[in-house]
Amino acid sequence: MGGADHLTSVRMEALENNAFEEDISHPKNEYHPYFIAIPWDDRTRNSKIYVVVLMTAIFVVTMGLVINNLIMHYRGFDSLISKSEYSKVDCNLVKVDTYRFVARLHSVTTKELICVGAVLSSSSVLANELCIRSGSVRLYLGSATDPFCKKGFPVDAIDVIPHEGIVTKALVVLTTYGDLSKCSKPIKLVYASIEAKLQAYVIGRPYRGGRSLSVQLATVITNPDEISIDWHDHFKKKNIICVKDLENCPIRAGDLLVQNERLYGLASTSAYDRAKTKFACFANIKRVYYQIKMLHTRTF
């Protein structure tokens, strides 16, 4: 019996030693090679937290990359559109003193070029009423480098002339106490209709910058059926002059319609979209010829 008990004791000790070695070689927190594949219910609380954090981080990074790519895509797209639109603009530019009868109206506040006007005399300029709606303006004429001219002239008085051929329903005569004759030359006004058979041209504010003027040729429209704009029915046909065959150069409110060095019209609106229409309309100066003449004693 003693020998049997000793053998049983040895065997029990061996089993205990083997169990101890097994516990050391296979700890409970051992890294599992298939960590992600472990069933959710078999995971510990910390393991579940790690999985949630990992999945959240992956989602945030992925969404960040997607949003960044979208932003870069649309920025590039907008840039391409801007460059495309700019490339379509093709204005023939001339120096500001090429046409001495053109006045440049600059904002007193921002110094930016608002629009152009026509010099009527040594003290007055005709412009679209829309040009002064954004605030006070200062008149610049002739050379942009001449010490006397480049300082400009203040507007000391404004006379409003109603005109049904313009969206704002008025033109304005801007008067200054300064002498414009040193920097400009008045344009001729005639009480006559524009010659449809002769080429006319539009002088206006450039697409960019303020040290040049845009010039483009135009053909006078004689057939009313060619004019199909929303606000056309509100005007009498004799109050406006419309032209076609324009170049890829924007027409702005107040741009001058000239023929044979004579003023026949001022652009009635800047809402001219060449993508939809192939023409532009001007307030017919003939309709307000006598009103302008009454403001000045000069013979036109």
Side-chain angles (χ1 to χ4, degrees), residues 125-179:
V125 170
L126 179 67
N128 189 322
E129 189 265 347
L130 186 64
C131 299
I132 62 172
R133 283 197 171 186
S134 59
S136 301
V137 296
R138 190 172 181 84
L139 306 176
Y140 290 86
L141 307 97
S143 174
T145 58
D146 182 274
F148 181 79
C149 300
K150 70 178 183 179
K151 63 182 182 180
F153 300 86
V155 175
D156 299 305
I158 299 176
D159 293 298
V160 178
I161 301 178
H163 196 304
E164 289 298 321
I166 195 167
V167 173
T168 55
K169 298 189 181 300
L171 299 176
V172 289
V173 174
L174 309 176
T175 303
T176 178
Y177 296 144
D179 184 6

Side-chain angles (χ1 to χ4, degrees), residues 166-239:
I166 195 167
V167 173
T168 55
K169 298 189 181 300
L171 299 176
V172 289
V173 174
L174 309 176
T175 303
T176 178
Y177 296 144
D179 184 6
L180 305 180
S181 62
K182 296 181 180 180
C183 303
S184 65
K185 177 183 178 181
I187 192 170
K188 295 179 180 180
L189 295 183
V190 293
Y191 188 75
S193 300
I194 191 169
E195 291 287 342
K197 295 181 179 180
L198 300 179
Q199 196 83 50
Y201 55 100
V202 181
I203 304 173
R205 178 164 66 98
Y207 183 70
R208 287 187 177 180
R211 288 181 172 268
S212 61
L213 299 172
S214 65
V215 182
Q216 58 180 317
L217 297 176
T219 301
V220 179
I221 296 177
T222 57
N223 183 7
D225 294 336
E226 295 187 54
I227 306 171
S228 57
I229 46 182
D230 296 337
W231 44 265
H232 172 64
D233 293 336
H234 298 292
F235 302 136
K236 296 179 180 178
K237 296 178 182 178
K238 293 182 179 180
N239 287 335

Side-chain angles (χ1 to χ4, degrees), residues 23-271:
D23 290 341
I24 295 178
S25 59
H26 299 287
K28 294 182 180 179
N29 295 328
E30 178 191 12
Y31 170 74
H32 198 287
Y34 303 104
F35 175 75
I36 300 298
I38 298 176
W40 184 259
D41 294 336
D42 295 342
R43 293 179 181 275
T44 63
R45 181 173 179 275
N46 289 339
S47 177
K48 291 180 179 179
I49 293 175
Y50 295 152
V51 171
V52 171
V53 171
L54 177 62
M55 297 304 294
T56 302
I58 293 174
F59 175 78
V60 170
V61 172
T62 302
M63 291 304 298
L65 291 174
V66 171
I67 293 173
N68 181 69
N69 288 337
L70 287 174
I71 292 174
M72 294 302 295
H73 170 74
Y74 283 106
R75 278 183 178 178
F77 184 68
D78 291 340
S79 177
L80 287 175
I81 292 177
S82 177
K83 290 180 180 179
S84 176
E85 290 179 349
Y86 180 73
S87 64
K88 292 179 181 178
V89 175
D90 184 18
C91 295
N92 180 34
L93 302 179
V94 297
K95 294 182 179 180
V96 292
D97 55 351
T98 302
Y99 299 100
R100 290 173 58 82
F101 54 78
V102 178
R104 309 182 300 281
L105 282 61
H106 285 254
S107 168
V108 172
T109 305
T110 64
K111 310 300 181 184
E112 293 182 0
L113 177 62
I114 302 299
C115 61
V116 299
V119 179
L120 298 176
S121 69
S122 60
S123 62
S124 61
V125 170
L126 179 67
N128 189 322
E129 189 265 347
L130 186 64
C131 299
I132 62 172
R133 283 197 171 186
S134 59
S136 301
V137 296
R138 190 172 181 84
L139 306 176
Y140 290 86
L141 307 97
S143 174
T145 58
D146 182 274
F148 181 79
C149 300
K150 70 178 183 179
K151 63 182 182 180
F153 300 86
V155 175
D156 299 305
I158 299 176
D159 293 298
V160 178
I161 301 178
H163 196 304
E164 289 298 321
I166 195 167
V167 173
T168 55
K169 298 189 181 300
L171 299 176
V172 289
V173 174
L174 309 176
T175 303
T176 178
Y177 296 144
D179 184 6
L180 305 180
S181 62
K182 296 181 180 180
C183 303
S184 65
K185 177 183 178 181
I187 192 170
K188 295 179 180 180
L189 295 183
V190 293
Y191 188 75
S193 300
I194 191 169
E195 291 287 342
K197 295 181 179 180
L198 300 179
Q199 196 83 50
Y201 55 100
V202 181
I203 304 173
R205 178 164 66 98
Y207 183 70
R208 287 187 177 180
R211 288 181 172 268
S212 61
L213 299 172
S214 65
V215 182
Q216 58 180 317
L217 297 176
T219 301
V220 179
I221 296 177
T222 57
N223 183 7
D225 294 336
E226 295 187 54
I227 306 171
S228 57
I229 46 182
D230 296 337
W231 44 265
H232 172 64
D233 293 336
H234 298 292
F235 302 136
K236 296 179 180 178
K237 296 178 182 178
K238 293 182 179 180
N239 287 335
I240 58 176
I241 303 173
C242 296
V243 298
K244 60 181 179 179
D245 299 332
L246 297 164
E247 300 171 13
N248 289 330
C249 185
I251 290 181
R252 314 297 182 92
D255 285 1
L256 313 181
L257 178 63
V258 180
Q259 188 182 72
N260 291 333
E261 299 297 316
R262 291 175 171 82
L263 180 67
Y264 285 91
L266 267 68
S268 60
T269 175
S270 59

